[in-house]
Amino acid sequence: MAKKSVASLQTGSKRLSKAVKMVKSPKTGAYTFVEAVMQPELVNDWLAKK
């Protein structure tokens, strides 16, 4: 289950995006949020990964 919340960040000449994904813990069943800052082209691949 992925929460697709993407904000674009611009720092100098680099264009970055911050992606937030909701991940379910197999141990407790609780959901946590995992954040990552990456290039916009890599966001969909990162969200598709488990």
Side-chain angles (χ1 to χ4, degrees):
M1 188 175 225
K3 178 181 180 182
K4 193 170 186 177
S5 171
V6 178
S8 62
L9 307 170
Q10 292 187 359
T11 57
S13 63
K14 294 183 181 179
R15 187 167 165 242
L16 301 172
S17 293
K18 179 179 180 181
V20 180
K21 179 169 47 172
M22 207 165 70
V23 179
K24 186 174 184 179
S25 170
K27 193 173 189 179
T28 63
Y31 285 97
T32 59
F33 293 98
V34 179
E35 299 179 5
V37 176
M38 65 194 77
Q39 295 175 346
E41 300 83 31
L42 303 175
V43 171
N44 286 336
D45 294 334
W46 184 76
L47 288 173
K49 274 195 315 188
K50 273 197 160 184

